[in-house]
Amino acid sequence: MDYGYFDSGNFTPEEMIIAAGLVPKRILGDSAITTTVEADKYLEPNLCYFARNLLNQAITGNLKNLAGILFTHGCDCTSRQYDVWKVHADVKDLYYLNVPLKRDKIALKFLLKELNRFKSHLEKISGNTITNEKLEVAIDQCNETRSLLRELYRFCKNSSPVLTGSEFFRVIVKAQTLEKAVANELIHAKLQEVKQRVPTGGKKFHVLLTGTPLDYPDFIELVESCDLDVVGVAFSMGSDYFARDVEKTGDPIGDIARFLVAKPPNPTKHPPDPFLDFVLDEVKEVQADGIIYQALKFCEPYLYDSVYILNRFKEEGIPALFLEHEYTTQGLASLRTRIEAFKEILGGTK
């Protein structure tokens, strides 16, 4: 049975959910929804539209088939929504996992306690005992997913990419919503197919996308329709999801905790420098000509950090475009002119 997770910071211990006999499934918004009437009864209109979108789905019963939903401590908006969901959401079970801000020994000790509490909760709702052996198998499955995604990602990053960013992103979404064994077969098949492709040649400017977590490919497709190659997707649902593996030492819960603590916190947590360094390293790796930093309207953490981050890009000599946009797909077309103008700027830097 599927077990959902609402995670703006990419700190869900999927391995533990799998070891409980459940399938971790990232809850996705519905970008076709233009109104959130039910959620608007309980949330301010200037609150993150993505969060309102998910709450609207929960209230209207779209998520009631899940065995439960995990909230992780991402941004303040999603964290505080947990209290609203407890009262108004039509779901079977809710659980809140508190992820520490710091990345030191005390934070690791705190997270270990949180993970053990979550383990007990999963055992209670699933009726299954989570053993070290089951956790080791789950870690192997998730590591395989991450490894396959990294290998597939290489075909976006070539000088003449044979895999588009939007096509790759669709695979990433499936990796976070399907059973891992099924997802791994799908990624492996895609990898074999992509290896047979022949570069078409022709030079397009290469851009890396970062900023607010995206969960639909329409934004990436818009950028590509402006004759740009998206060669990097450096956000929580993108490369941050598969950038590294869980290192096994024989202590599976400890290994998962160390894996999560070692992840660079994204701009939903301060300071933003660790995640910014992650983005800058990826810019160099994919040899991007420029960066598009996109932020959802009312996504305060990313909007707050945007000035500092864009200044860092400028200091590094990297052309960057900042786009603030609605969550719905209807408003994306209005961004086309700015993206096309950015392409002209990239042309002037060569």
Side-chain angles (χ1 to χ4, degrees), residues 67 91 200 302 319 335 349:
V91 295
T200 57
Y302 284 88
L335 303 175
T349 63

Side-chain angles (χ1 to χ4, degrees), residues 210 276 279-280 283-284 289-293 305-322 342 345-346 349:
T210 188
L276 181 54
V279 172
L280 291 173
V283 169
K284 295 174 183 176
D289 298 306
I291 297 174
I292 295 179
Y293 183 96
D305 285 342
S306 63
V307 175
Y308 174 73
I309 289 175
L310 290 168
N311 283 337
R312 277 287 304 275
F313 292 157
K314 186 176 181 180
E315 291 172 4
E316 297 288 336
I318 305 170
L321 171 66
F322 172 68
F342 183 58
I345 292 173
L346 294 178
T349 63

Side-chain angles (χ1 to χ4, degrees), residues 271-285:
D273 298 271
F275 186 76
L276 181 54
D277 291 338
F278 169 76
V279 172
L280 291 173
D281 287 342
E282 187 143 330
V283 169
K284 295 174 183 176
E285 181 184 347

